[in-house]
């Protein structure tokens, strides 16, 4: 789910933060902050959040016989 209501506050996807370099951000409210930090001014911006990659399918347990008609 992309738009969950109980998202963990993080400066990395706050509307007030702008990427600077590495793990640092420039916050319009607090100045230079780290990506994993948070404050009470947090406002969630869904366009800044990168969802985790889905797990790769593991087909090692299947045999060639499973794919024949």
């Amino acid at each position: 789910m992309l738009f969950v209501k109980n998202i963990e506050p993080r400066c990395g996807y706050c509307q007030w933060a702008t990427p600077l370099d590495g793990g640092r951000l420039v916050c319009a409210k607090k100045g230079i902050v780290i990506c994993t930090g948070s404050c009470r001014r947090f406002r969630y911006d869904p366009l800044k959040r990168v969802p985790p990659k889905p797990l790769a399918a593991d087909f090692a347990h299947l045999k060639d016989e499973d794919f024949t008609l």
Side-chain angles (χ1 to χ4, degrees), residues 2-26:
L2 183 60
F3 302 106
V4 292
K5 292 188 181 208
N6 56 351
I7 192 100
E8 179 186 345
R10 237 182 228 181
C11 291
Y13 37 83
C14 178
Q15 83 175 28
W16 305 112
T18 305
L20 185 61
D21 62 356
R24 298 186 312 167
L25 305 163
V26 176

Side-chain angles (χ1 to χ4, degrees), residues 17-68:
T18 305
L20 185 61
D21 62 356
R24 298 186 312 167
L25 305 163
V26 176
C27 177
K29 304 293 182 179
K30 297 287 184 177
I32 296 178
V33 295
I34 59 172
C35 185
T36 58
S38 67
C39 68
R40 64 188 193 115
R41 300 271 187 173
F42 175 76
R43 294 283 182 253
Y44 179 58
D45 184 0
L47 298 177
K48 289 186 178 180
R49 183 171 166 263
V50 178
K53 292 183 179 182
L55 297 175
D58 181 23
F59 298 114
H61 66 280
L62 298 175
K63 301 173 188 168
D64 288 338
E65 299 165 352
D66 296 330
F67 297 102
T68 58

